Amino acid sequence: MSRDHRPGSLQQIPLAQIEVLNSRERNAQAFEAIVENIRVLGLKKPITVTPRPKPDGSPHFLLVCGEGRFKAFGLLGHARIPAHVIEASDEEAFIMSLAENIARRKYSPLELLDGIDRLRAQGHDKKAIAAKTGLSPEYVSGLLNLITNGEQRLLAAVGTGKIALNVALMIANAGDDDKSLQTALQEAYESGQLRGNQLTQAQRLVQRRKTLGRSMARSLPRNKGAGITSSSLVRTYQKEMERQKLLIKRADFAQQGVLFITQALRQLYADEHFATLLRAEGLDTLPELLAERVWPKGHPT
């Protein structure tokens, strides 16, 4: 290897000698911003490459980090680009590239899934993948669940941006033993009928139905073999929300009634003539729970 291209150094590398290791699709607007920023301010952060000399010994490099900067330099007509030259195996270079992708604010979910799948294929378990990528083991486990279970419909929805990755994981877990529920949840989410916490609540309603019986969700199909649809799921959620609102109204009404009764009793017991009459009839005491509400100490002072 040339002394000018030794590992650990910062060098000006010809763009023609650099090969992109893990190419990614980019948002056109974001890429234009990178190009304009480099054109005006120059390159703030060098790219990272690892040497892979050609069979004849001529210099050649794999791009590890900085594809956007690399392509922007080429578009601006530069022949060379500042680069950190590091020593890294193909696996290490791939992991570094994947980690940079994850660290970005916006990354392609399909790129992430593909990267996780490649690490899995190389024999890494979820703990090792989590350690290498900085993701939590639980999150990695969920991703592997989508991949290994062949959740093609959910994977496609994630790839087109119809469903967020965390929502896809929730739907996959909810439909492990009931594919009709999984489909209903996905369709309800994509149509905008159930979003965020609503989706989770709808899924829990179905689980409660399975545990406690059909009375918990009367709008769901009575025929067990018919499966759950997005329409029945949405109706169930809406009816449950109406039921809960009614319960809240009844609770508020009951509370107001209790307040009225306790205030009335407090005023009546304050009337000495009324209190004397009650004592004469042997009715001068109240049940303990009611007495505690009428008087702070549970009895008249």
Side-chain angles (χ1 to χ4, degrees):
M1 184 187 305
S2 168
R3 289 177 57 86
D4 291 338
H5 298 145
R6 61 190 181 278
S9 62
L10 178 62
Q11 298 293 329
Q12 291 282 344
I13 306 293
L15 271 65
Q17 295 179 359
I18 300 173
E19 177 185 350
V20 178
L21 172 66
N22 184 27
S23 184
R24 301 188 292 264
E25 292 185 3
R26 298 187 172 274
N27 178 280
Q29 186 175 359
F31 179 66
E32 289 176 3
I34 292 175
V35 174
E36 181 63 17
N37 189 270
I38 290 176
R39 186 187 68 80
V40 175
L41 302 175
L43 186 66
K44 296 181 181 180
K45 181 180 179 182
I47 64 172
T48 302
V49 298
T50 186
R52 291 294 187 274
K54 291 185 176 181
D56 62 3
S58 59
H60 183 69
F61 302 86
L62 293 181
L63 178 68
V64 178
C65 300
E67 182 182 359
R69 286 162 279 161
F70 169 75
K71 290 184 175 180
F73 250 58
L75 190 64
L76 291 169
H78 296 286
R80 294 173 175 266
I81 186 171
H84 284 295
V85 182
I86 65 169
E87 193 67 63
S89 66
D90 288 352
E91 180 180 346
E92 290 170 338
F94 170 72
I95 292 172
M96 290 176 65
S97 177
L98 178 62
E100 184 196 43
N101 185 27
I102 294 172
R104 290 187 300 153
R105 285 188 176 182
K106 294 183 179 180
Y107 55 81
S108 165
L110 283 186
E111 291 169 3
L112 176 59
L113 289 167
D114 179 65
I116 297 296
D117 191 30
R118 288 178 61 178
L119 291 175
R120 178 189 63 83
Q122 292 173 359
H124 299 291
D125 60 19
K126 64 181 181 182
K127 290 184 178 180
I129 295 174
K132 292 176 181 295
T133 60
L135 299 170
S136 70
E138 294 77 16
Y139 193 70
V140 171
S141 179
L143 295 176
L144 292 176
N145 180 58
L146 284 181
I147 296 168
T148 57
N149 289 338
E151 302 287 2
Q152 297 302 323
R153 178 174 175 141
L154 285 172
L155 290 171
V158 169
T160 56
K162 292 182 179 179
I163 292 183
L165 190 53
N166 63 320
V167 175
L169 295 177
M170 187 280 286
I171 291 175
N173 291 332
D176 282 344
D177 58 349
D178 189 345
K179 291 300 180 183
S180 66
L181 171 58
Q182 185 186 95
T183 301
L185 287 168
Q186 181 174 346
E187 290 178 352
Y189 182 87
E190 291 183 9
S191 65
Q193 293 175 294
L194 295 176
R195 287 298 178 109
N197 192 47
Q198 296 175 341
L199 200 68
T200 303
Q201 291 178 354
Q203 183 264 331
R204 288 174 179 169
L205 280 174
V206 177
Q207 297 301 330
R208 287 169 61 194
R209 172 186 182 266
K210 292 179 179 179
T211 303
L212 302 176
R214 298 182 187 279
S215 62
M216 296 302 302
R218 296 183 183 277
S219 62
L220 291 177
R222 294 184 178 276
N223 182 356
K224 187 176 180 180
I228 300 170
T229 66
S230 61
S231 297
S232 65
L233 188 66
V234 172
R235 285 197 304 272
T236 298
Y237 171 79
Q238 291 173 340
K239 287 188 175 182
E240 177 63 14
M241 292 303 102
E242 291 172 1
R243 186 183 72 85
Q244 291 185 15
K245 289 179 181 178
L246 181 59
L247 286 175
I248 292 172
K249 287 183 179 179
R250 288 176 176 175
D252 289 341
F253 181 77
Q255 184 179 28
Q256 293 298 322
V258 171
L259 290 173
F260 173 79
I261 292 171
T262 55
Q263 183 64 25
L265 286 173
R266 190 177 295 120
Q267 292 179 2
L268 287 172
Y269 271 84
D271 187 322
E272 184 59 31
H273 295 292
F274 182 74
T276 300
L277 178 62
L278 289 179
R279 283 193 293 269
E281 297 294 333
L283 300 174
D284 55 330
T285 60
L286 291 175
E288 182 179 353
L289 291 178
L290 184 56
E292 289 176 351
R293 285 184 172 272
V294 175
W295 302 292
K297 295 182 179 181
H299 56 81
T301 56

